[in-house]
Amino acid sequence: MPTTQLNSDVALGVAIPSRNARGRVARLGAVVDSVLANHRYPPLIERLMAEALVLTALLGSLLKEPEGQVTVQAQTESGIIDLLVCDYLAGELRGYIRHDPERLADAGPNPSLFALFGKGYLAITFDHPTMKERYQGIVPLEGESLAHAAQWFFAQCGQIASRVRLAAEKRDGRWFAGGLLFQHLPEGEEGRERLHTRLDHPDWPHIAILAGSVKPEELTDPELPLDDLIWRLFHEEDEVRTLGALPLSRGCRCDPDYVRSVLARFPAEERKAMVGEDGKIRVDCEFCSSSFSIGPHELS
Ligand SMILES: [Zn+2]
């Protein structure tokens, strides 16, 4: 089997059986730049997008089936940011952020999550099409950072004690984003159904402290392979298993056929109203900023 490089654009699974803990660690490099290249965001929004992408990668690497999909959505009514969306499918990531540039400029150099979103909600959706399962949890967007909001999400929606760390940094003009997610599975290893949950299990605080001790520069350093990072954090544990590595890339699922199929579902009257002065229906993909011009005759 070819070995996957464990430096950038990859997620790695980790199990610490004696502590009933599982983890995921991920780092993105070219993927972040590639997503950002389609948008013109100020640096603050770029950083948030980078962190959101790596969070989405961590969540995607928890999926149990290859066709599974994860969507992370943060939404507010009157925030500087009114919508953040990232999704993951088969190792491919994409995302976009809608924001008000003028209000952002007034927010200062380092606004809190609350300052950016105001009163908002974080929704995370796991789709397992093969198993015909969908799980969606929604929590108020709280805490100082996206990592805190994600931790809060797991505590509220899954009753799973979790440690989430996210970091993003621009190095020599290129973005690197890294993150880790560790969780306590009190009923044993991954795959076993949990019968009840104890959030105060004595093994967990130990793992939470070790996982939480990771430094932002370790998460983002492309010279530090993810298995070395895991070793640094957990080398005193009895047994630490690294699971498979998951390569990550940027991908968008919009294409002319897809856009035509979506438009074809609108009633004829509504489609007529969409036709512009050039006689075509123009559709923009917010994820990748691609623009499609579709002639109404193509839809019948
Ligand atoms: Zn697209």
Side-chain angles (χ1 to χ4, degrees):
M1 235 176 85
T3 49
T4 309
Q5 62 88 17
L6 291 173
N7 291 61
S8 284
D9 298 325
V10 67
L12 182 68
V14 184
I16 307 178
S18 63
R19 305 279 188 183
N20 295 322
R22 72 168 173 190
R24 297 290 185 272
V25 55
R27 189 180 297 120
L28 299 174
V31 169
V32 176
D33 287 325
S34 167
V35 169
L36 292 176
N38 295 310
H39 306 284
R40 269 194 218 148
Y41 294 143
L44 236 152
I45 299 293
E46 288 198 337
R47 176 181 300 275
L48 184 65
M49 182 86 266
E51 288 190 1
L53 286 167
V54 86
L55 172 64
T56 308
L58 291 169
L59 298 171
S61 68
L62 290 175
L63 289 165
K64 293 188 177 67
E65 59 169 271
E67 293 84 6
Q69 183 176 334
V70 174
T71 308
V72 174
Q73 186 160 332
Q75 200 156 3
T76 58
E77 279 179 10
S78 54
I80 293 174
I81 293 173
D82 76 312
L83 182 64
L84 175 158
V85 187
C86 280
D87 71 15
Y88 168 100
L89 175 70
E92 291 188 344
L93 294 160
R94 60 180 187 169
Y96 69 92
I97 292 175
R98 270 200 326 243
H99 72 286
D100 181 333
E102 283 178 22
R103 285 173 62 201
L104 182 70
D106 294 338
N110 205 6
S112 67
L113 196 69
F114 185 80
L116 288 173
F117 284 92
K119 203 168 144 53
Y121 291 88
L122 174 68
I124 299 178
T125 311
F126 292 87
D127 277 299
H128 294 100
T130 315
M131 296 190 270
K132 293 197 166 51
E133 270 179 23
R134 166 176 256 233
Y135 171 80
Q136 184 178 60
I138 301 177
V139 292
L141 200 52
E142 282 175 9
E144 278 297 296
S145 65
L146 197 57
H148 285 130
Q151 241 169 245
W152 176 240
F153 174 88
F154 282 113
Q156 285 292 299
C157 293
Q159 299 268 296
I160 303 175
S162 305
R163 214 22 115 241
V164 181
R165 289 287 182 272
L166 304 171
E169 193 189 351
K170 212 168 188 178
R171 293 169 180 247
D172 299 326
R174 296 172 56 202
W175 278 103
F176 289 93
L180 64 73
L181 160 66
F182 272 80
Q183 299 188 311
H184 188 223
L185 303 175
E187 297 302 327
E189 289 186 38
E190 264 197 279
R192 274 177 58 186
E193 203 171 335
R194 287 182 303 126
L195 300 175
H196 69 274
T197 306
R198 276 182 60 194
L199 293 174
D200 60 346
H201 195 286
D203 282 339
W204 173 245
H206 180 75
I207 294 301
I209 288 168
L210 295 180
S213 74
V214 72
K215 298 184 187 78
E217 58 271 27
E218 291 175 313
L219 288 171
T220 56
D221 181 2
E223 303 295 321
L224 177 63
L226 296 182
D227 49 352
D228 289 358
L229 174 58
I230 292 300
W231 170 252
R232 269 193 202 181
L233 295 172
F234 298 105
H235 61 94
E236 286 181 0
E237 293 301 302
D238 291 341
E239 187 191 0
V240 178
R241 277 190 232 150
T242 54
L243 312 171
L246 174 70
L248 300 163
S249 59
R250 183 202 80 98
C252 199
R253 302 196 281 288
C254 65
D255 64 56
D257 285 340
Y258 174 75
V259 173
R260 275 191 282 269
S261 77
V262 172
L263 286 176
R265 281 181 240 145
F266 283 90
E269 277 299 297
E270 284 185 40
R271 290 204 308 251
K272 219 168 163 183
M274 294 177 198
V275 176
E277 284 178 8
D278 62 352
K280 303 231 179 202
I281 299 173
R282 202 186 123 114
V283 178
D284 297 320
C285 174
E286 287 197 90
F287 282 104
C288 67
S289 302
S290 294
S291 190
F292 300 92
S293 270
I294 310 282
H297 61 275
E298 296 175 54
L299 301 173
S300 48

